[in-house]
Amino acid sequence: MLDKPGDVTLTLTVNGKACQLTAPPFAPLADTLRERLHLTGTKIGCDAGDCGACTVLIDGEQTCACLVTTAQAEGRAITTIETGDPLVERLRAAFLAHGAAQCGICTPGMIMAATDLLNRSPQADRRAIEDGIGGVLCRCTGYVKIIEAIEAVARGSVAPAPEAAAGAAVGCRIARADGAPKVAGTDRFGADHAPADALWLRAVRSPHAHARFSLGDLDAVRAAHPGLVAILTAADIPGANSFGIFPTIKDQPVLAPSFVRYRGEAVLALVGTREAVEGLADSALPIAWEIQPALIGVEAGLAEGAPALHATIPDNVLTRGYLETGDVDEGHRQGAVTVEGRFRTGFVEHAYIEPEAGFAERIGDRIEVTACTQAAVMDQEEVARVVGVPLADVRIVPTACGGGFGGKLDVSIQPLIAVAAWLTRRPVRAIYSRTESMASTTKRHPSKIWARASADSRGRFTAYEMTGDFNTGAYASWGPTVANRVPVHATGPYKVPHVRNATRAVHTHEVPAGAFRGFGVPQAAIAGETLIDDLALALKLDRWAIRRINAIDHGDRTPTGQVLHASAGLPQCLDAVKADYDAMVAAAEAANARGGRFARGVGIACMWYGCGNTSMSNPSRMRITLDRAGKLTFLNGAVDIGQGSTTVLLQITADALGLPTTAFDFVIGDTDRTYDAGKTSASRQTFVSGNAARLAGLDLRARILALANAGPGATLRLDGARLTVADGDAGRIIALDQLDADAGGVVLAGEGLYDPPTTALDAKGQGIPYATYGFAAQVAEVTVDRELGTVKVTRIVAAHDVGRAINPTLTEGQIHGGIAQGLGLALMEEYLPGRTENLHDYLIPTAGDMPEITIKLIEDTEPEGPFGAKGVGEPALVATAPAILSAIRHATGVRMTEVPVLPHRLWAAMQEARGNA
């Protein structure tokens, strides 16, 4: 809370009530609502009016509360998500029923924007809705379910989501189990709560990509600034001043020791009152910089004589990935046609609407960190290392997570606030600004790919080879994972007898690149799918047909030598989109025959994605307890970042146990109370943790049936402390309050542990890297302005093999959101360090950018999966960008090999093509 001199007494009318408070008159209204009035449903995502998360109504009109001063709001009617307005209540119900809230960070702003719209235009149509919510960004949903929910309210047809009967949860479109607080604005994200006496922390970061530095008299600075409690340096780290994803690669310092390797690296941490840490300018700190030459781009990192970023890696190649099968040279000789190409992608920002936030508190000789994260146990391990305490003395309590997509797998604020709280013995909180979040956290790996493919005269692929360099930035992060996953996936989901793929993760003086929805596979798919279009063109084959000919199927062998015995649904996916593809191509060609400024095009692309970690153990363990009072608790260590794991795992658990989902309470992610479920990434939670949850449910069910001496077909009913077990005409009532209990009151418990059956890959990449794969085919339709080079995606048809859709509404929402991010990758998203570090200059899709989307769920069940299910989070994204590039080529004849396809790039390519015609 801001406590600057000059505070004034103001009266604000909020949700119909007069609130008198003391606040700085020029403080943003959003800050005053949150910190003074504790109305934290108004979220802050950018503090610049770019994201719309802070949208409230002022005198009935939607307004970004971060752009209005508190004094300006005096005497005006302010409405926030906490209102009891009946229209807001109907919108809450519709958002819940339609699955319109995923992570939930944008939901309050969306609902307030929709309230403004429907107050003005009660029967608004889709176009009006897109315009009405256009100022609020969502990174999760792709906006489709949001628009559907608002349309339902406009039509007066809001129906609640169905409730599943016992044993019938799987496959049911129940509402999110954690959805009610999201639509009410009461879900607690990292910035939404902290102890009242918490100090604030602000990191001081390097403005240079590569530099040495020295520090002057920090004690004098601290003495000269009342309220500044500590200025932490690398020397203050009580444990190891390093962290990293892999146990053997802890290469990134919490605070840089005397040199920095990328722009945005933390060098100091200011700890004190909010006024003190925010009021002390970086320029007032005694830091002397000695700027060094920086290696920018993989070419610089690999150049002969380039200085090593890390002494243990003299050539700047962090790791290499490799896969080889057959004889690639012979495969090319067998081909009637050979094509090749060079492709580039850049940094892509996760752009989750919630910046990193949380607080830490020392409790005796333990440290507790409450923050947004995707990986609670990994955070626990890193904090223990940095603070220098045993793992058991660290507790991580995940808050609601406002989007992650891989970007919240690496620790960010956690080590900083933990060290500060440990040393000061005071609670310490931190909230990254939007610029700080974008400058300092990981990105999608830029790639530089060369690939070559061959096919025989019938269109059957004979060989594929690629080399790919991935810019992993200054530190390792997930670079090894990307380098090792890409060679497995680079051919795409096709039968290719001769393959040779090689990758390198390369260090540069740039922001670390880490995990981002696909771990390098989207970049590789752009190359591979473009070459397939090249082969189709050279062989005069239809683009759908060449993919169908080569589609991997049941019983086929992948390039790693793995035989897919089940759940290989790509042929069904392709068949599902065939009629749409044919009709869209015919319509586009008819439109283009009429000529004119605008050209239409249709493209197609396919994908596959291995669910879980590549060729390594990645177990999950779940627990369910039943206490003497009849409280049934699902202790679930899987962090839900919006993808819906809390609900999906609950549905699986409920059906395995035989009780309805409404019977359960749940605890999510708290490392003191839940087992390690592994990280929320790699599309693994539904498959891996879902299996663990199923086994836990079966375990508890077996214990109950044994206690009741009942058979496997018995049904259960829980009424308080009475558990009824009915077995045909027989039955028994178990009085739970009469059973022996443990210290926590638990009388019965079930546990489940699952680790996917995989094997290590050998030197040539042969083995079983994943237990199952997701598959998809997507068709994209675009309109291209030939004069401006702009591209509008007008329709996407997406068929995804998900094994079994545990909750079809949530599955569709994941696909919608993945398509939106794939569209951004293809057409607009370009992170440039120092230039696009906000949501004004870095563009992500808005509601108005989204096309019509048709989803076809293919359920080729996975016998190894829980009730046949497998993951969909990352598969949703992979095919979209190459399908859009294919459509642009169909419209213009131009083969684009660099994304994003910004207007100036496409315009230049079209001009070049015309000049060469």
Side-chain angles (χ1 to χ4, degrees):
M1 180 162 51
L2 293 172
D3 291 311
K4 296 179 180 178
D7 285 5
V8 299
T9 299
L10 299 166
T11 300
L12 300 181
T13 302
V14 183
N15 299 326
K17 297 180 181 179
C19 305
Q20 191 175 78
L21 69 154
T22 301
F26 298 110
L29 176 61
D31 190 85
T32 298
L33 290 171
R34 293 174 55 82
E35 300 296 334
R36 302 281 177 163
L37 297 179
H38 308 294
L39 297 174
T40 56
T42 300
K43 308 303 180 185
I44 297 178
C46 67
D47 249 341
D50 296 324
C51 75
C54 66
T55 298
V56 299
L57 304 186
I58 297 182
D59 294 337
E61 295 186 2
Q62 61 175 294
T63 306
C64 286
C66 70
L67 296 182
V68 177
T69 67
T70 302
Q72 285 177 303
E74 188 171 29
R76 304 174 72 184
I78 303 164
T79 306
T80 73
I81 188 64
E82 290 86 357
T83 180
D85 184 326
L87 175 56
V88 173
E89 294 287 2
R90 292 197 298 275
L91 284 163
R92 288 191 185 112
F95 270 56
L96 193 58
H98 285 265
Q102 288 191 20
C103 82
I105 193 71
C106 76
T107 303
M110 283 288 183
I111 289 177
M112 298 317 296
T115 301
D116 170 35
L117 168 68
L118 295 180
N119 276 329
R120 290 183 288 105
S121 182
Q123 296 179 321
D125 60 14
R126 182 184 181 88
R127 178 59 61 85
I129 292 170
E130 290 177 356
D131 290 342
I133 64 172
V136 185
L137 296 178
C138 176
R139 191 57 158 168
C140 296
T141 66
Y143 305 97
V144 177
K145 299 291 188 186
I146 293 172
I147 293 170
E148 289 175 357
I150 299 170
E151 284 180 320
V153 175
R155 292 193 306 266
S157 59
V158 178
E163 291 188 3
V170 169
C172 186
R173 294 177 178 268
I174 67 169
R176 291 185 67 108
D178 55 352
K182 295 182 186 298
V183 300
T186 57
D187 215 359
R188 287 163 64 127
F189 294 85
D192 288 345
H193 62 114
D197 61 342
L199 300 172
W200 286 72
L201 180 146
R202 180 175 74 83
V204 177
R205 300 185 177 277
S206 170
H208 309 295
H210 185 205
R212 295 190 174 277
F213 66 91
S214 59
L215 301 173
D217 188 351
L218 297 178
D219 289 336
V221 175
R222 188 165 53 249
H225 292 81
L228 193 60
V229 173
I231 303 178
L232 302 181
T233 72
D236 295 309
I237 304 299
N241 185 26
S242 61
F243 63 88
I245 297 301
F246 295 88
T248 57
I249 313 176
K250 301 294 184 182
D251 60 347
Q252 186 165 356
V254 179
L255 293 170
S258 58
F259 58 91
V260 294
R261 294 186 175 99
Y262 76 98
R263 183 185 179 278
E265 185 162 7
V267 297
L268 298 174
L270 307 180
V271 184
T273 65
R274 184 177 180 187
E275 178 185 10
V277 300
E278 292 184 352
L280 180 57
D282 290 1
S283 58
L285 295 165
I287 307 175
W289 295 101
E290 181 185 336
I291 301 173
Q292 306 290 310
L295 303 177
I296 304 299
V298 293
E299 295 89 349
L302 295 170
E304 186 175 352
L309 270 79
H310 300 272
T312 57
I313 308 174
D315 61 357
N316 290 323
V317 178
L318 168 66
T319 191
R320 291 172 168 82
Y322 189 74
L323 182 148
E324 183 178 358
T325 187
D327 183 335
V328 170
D329 294 335
E330 176 60 25
H332 286 310
R333 283 193 290 270
Q334 293 173 4
V337 173
T338 298
V339 296
E340 65 179 87
R342 298 185 182 277
F343 305 86
R344 279 185 175 271
T345 68
F347 283 115
V348 182
E349 161 66 21
H350 299 88
Y352 29 75
I353 304 303
E354 178 204 27
E356 294 73 7
F359 69 91
E361 192 168 12
R362 181 171 180 172
I363 300 175
D365 288 330
R366 299 191 81 213
I367 188 75
E368 295 190 359
V369 177
T370 301
C372 55
T373 182
Q374 291 183 235
V377 172
M378 292 174 66
D379 289 3
Q380 184 185 26
E381 293 167 346
E382 299 286 31
V383 168
R385 173 185 175 85
V386 168
V387 176
V389 298
L391 188 69
D393 288 341
V394 177
R395 181 186 185 188
I396 303 295
V397 182
T399 64
C401 185
F405 320 112
K408 291 176 182 172
L409 285 169
D410 299 68
V411 292
S412 54
I413 62 167
Q414 294 91 335
L416 290 167
I417 57 177
V419 167
W422 186 260
L423 295 177
T424 64
R425 296 181 177 269
R426 296 270 302 276
V428 177
R429 70 185 302 193
I431 303 171
Y432 280 1
S433 69
R434 173 56 56 183
T435 297
E436 182 176 22
S437 174
M438 294 182 73
S440 65
T441 61
T442 60
K443 306 288 174 277
R444 185 181 295 284
H445 283 71
S447 66
K448 178 185 176 186
I449 295 173
W450 170 85
R452 175 185 291 158
S454 294
D456 65 20
S457 59
R458 295 179 299 168
R460 300 185 184 276
F461 300 154
T462 59
Y464 187 88
E465 62 179 316
M466 66 86 73
T467 59
D469 288 329
F470 292 82
N471 184 348
T472 205
Y475 298 104
S477 184
W478 292 90
T481 300
V482 169
N484 287 307
R485 185 176 277 266
V486 168
V488 173
H489 290 82
T491 59
Y494 306 108
K495 294 171 283 191
V496 188
H498 306 287
V499 180
R500 183 170 60 231
N501 297 327
T503 57
R504 297 182 291 189
V506 181
H507 279 306
T508 65
H509 288 115
E510 295 179 87
V511 63
F516 189 168
R517 210 168 190 172
F519 287 105
V521 177
Q523 297 94 304
I526 288 170
E529 293 293 318
T530 299
L531 293 188
I532 292 172
D533 280 3
D534 290 345
L535 291 171
L537 184 64
L539 292 167
K540 296 181 172 55
L541 290 172
D542 177 77
R543 292 168 293 164
W544 178 91
I546 196 171
R547 287 170 169 84
R548 186 63 175 82
I549 289 167
N550 292 284
I552 204 162
D553 204 344
H554 299 74
D556 287 332
R557 191 176 299 272
T558 74
T560 71
Q562 179 178 1
V563 176
L564 300 182
H565 296 290
S567 199
L570 181 62
Q572 296 98 304
C573 291
L574 280 163
D575 292 345
V577 302
K578 179 65 160 61
D580 294 282
Y581 170 81
D582 287 344
M584 292 160 71
V585 168
E589 292 179 352
N592 292 339
R594 295 191 290 268
R597 173 174 174 172
F598 297 95
R600 285 168 61 180
V602 176
I604 186 170
C606 300
M607 62 70 58
W608 67 330
Y609 195 82
C611 298
N613 295 350
T614 306
S615 287
M616 64 174 63
S617 175
N618 65 130
S620 177
R621 187 177 180 186
M622 295 284 169
R623 178 174 168 85
I624 311 165
T625 61
L626 184 59
D627 72 12
R628 299 185 72 181
K631 183 178 181 181
L632 182 66
T633 304
F634 180 23
L635 298 153
N636 170 10
V639 177
D640 193 329
I641 61 173
Q643 86 282 17
S645 61
T646 295
T647 306
V648 166
L649 299 184
L650 178 62
Q651 290 176 263
I652 291 168
T653 303
D655 277 8
L657 176 58
L659 285 171
T661 58
T662 52
F664 289 78
D665 287 331
F666 46 85
V667 174
I668 305 295
D670 184 335
T671 57
D672 269 10
R673 302 184 63 190
T674 66
Y675 290 128
D676 184 5
K679 62 191 183 300
T680 296
S681 71
S683 300
R684 62 178 295 281
Q685 292 294 16
T686 295
F687 179 68
V688 181
S689 290
N691 265 320
R694 178 181 61 86
L695 293 171
L698 291 174
D699 185 33
L700 179 55
R701 178 178 176 82
R703 294 175 189 273
I704 293 170
L705 297 185
L707 187 63
N709 195 27
T715 60
L716 308 181
R717 189 175 78 248
L718 184 62
D719 300 297
R722 292 164 55 89
L723 176 61
T724 302
V725 183
D727 189 7
D729 294 332
R732 178 181 173 186
I733 295 175
I734 301 173
L736 298 173
D737 55 2
Q738 301 302 308
L739 299 180
D740 292 335
D742 67 13
V746 173
V747 295
L748 289 166
E751 293 188 5
L753 174 67
Y754 179 77
D755 196 0
T758 62
T759 67
L761 299 181
D762 66 17
K764 289 192 174 182
Q766 299 301 294
I768 301 175
Y770 312 101
T772 190
Y773 298 80
F775 296 89
Q778 292 189 6
V779 179
E781 179 185 74
V782 304
T783 298
V784 178
D785 186 328
R786 291 187 175 101
E787 294 186 13
L788 298 179
T790 56
V791 178
K792 172 68 176 176
V793 182
T794 54
R795 189 181 179 201
I796 297 279
V797 179
H800 282 256
D801 169 24
V802 300
R804 176 82 183 276
I806 301 295
N807 187 314
T809 296
L810 301 189
T811 301
E812 291 163 355
Q814 281 295 287
I815 296 170
H816 292 148
I819 287 170
Q821 291 186 359
L823 187 154
L825 170 65
L827 297 179
M828 61 182 67
E829 297 189 37
E830 186 171 45
Y831 176 80
L832 303 172
R835 292 174 56 189
T836 58
E837 293 174 345
N838 56 65
L839 294 175
H840 177 77
D841 297 307
Y842 185 88
L843 302 179
I844 67 173
T846 68
D849 294 312
M850 290 303 296
E852 173 191 347
I853 299 176
T854 302
I855 292 176
K856 301 171 186 286
L857 295 181
I858 306 301
E859 295 186 308
D860 188 0
T861 57
E862 170 53 67
E864 185 69 23
F867 297 98
K870 54 190 179 182
V872 73
E874 282 151 304
L877 175 146
V878 176
T880 306
I884 291 171
L885 266 61
S886 176
I888 292 171
R889 185 178 190 178
H890 183 229
T892 66
V894 172
R895 177 183 186 259
M896 299 301 292
T897 58
E898 180 179 5
V899 296
V901 182
L902 299 175
H904 72 278
R905 288 177 181 151
L906 179 55
W907 186 87
M910 289 190 294
Q911 297 305 306
E912 182 179 356
R914 290 168 186 160
N916 293 334

